[in-house]
Amino acid sequence: MLRIAAIIMAFAFAYSCGQRNSNKTTGTEIRTSKDPLIEENKRLTLEESRIMDRYIERRKWDMTTTGTGLRYMIYENGYGVDAAEGMRATVNYEIALMDGTLCYSSDEQGPRTFTIGRDNVESGIHEGITYMKVGDKVKMLIPSYLAHGLVGDQNKIPPRSPLVVDLHLIRLD
């Protein structure tokens, strides 16, 4: 019985290897099939950027835009050490959608502590906090691709949602 099972498994393996080779694609075919997706992603990213810029203009915020597309403004200056990758940061925060829906807040969940550049926090927050020093309060507008991307957070943040983040850096270790 074991011998029959081994023969069947060997046959199935050999058959699947042959199938894999018969469906091989060339690099050109792969590149061509991805081009429309790349172009659509570029279009959606530009559209999101325009929406974010109009949002900023309506509020008359004076924000700096980084090379990644993060927008931020420090609205209250702190007094302490500059934040840098690898430091442990403790922050008070509010994370909202652009329509004003509050998703998460330290008022509800308490301050958050994380290692800059390493822990599971939106990449836009990792970047934005490096422009801060202890005591700073910053408003950030984080594009969806620096937040929760195409899938959202499977809880309160929908797919492709830019985030409005208010951050107060209260401690660095």
Side-chain angles (χ1 to χ4, degrees), residues 77-81 133-136 168-170:
N77 288 312
Y79 49 83
V81 178
K133 61 182 175 234
V134 173
D136 280 353
H168 177 204
L169 180 54
I170 55 178

Side-chain angles (χ1 to χ4, degrees), residues 64-94:
T64 300
T65 302
T66 70
T68 65
L70 171 72
R71 281 94 164 153
Y72 76 96
M73 69 176 188
I74 297 172
Y75 65 88
E76 190 173 310
N77 288 312
Y79 49 83
V81 178
D82 291 335
E85 188 169 333
M87 294 177 142
R88 299 260 316 144
T90 301
V91 298
N92 283 321
Y93 61 93
E94 282 188 353

Side-chain angles (χ1 to χ4, degrees), residues 7 25 31 36 47 63 73 77 94 98 121 123 126 140 157:
I7 292 171
T25 59
R31 193 172 331 117
E47 181 182 320
M63 296 190 119
M73 69 176 188
N77 288 312
E94 282 188 353
M98 287 175 49
V121 175
S123 61
H126 282 293
M140 292 184 234
I157 299 172

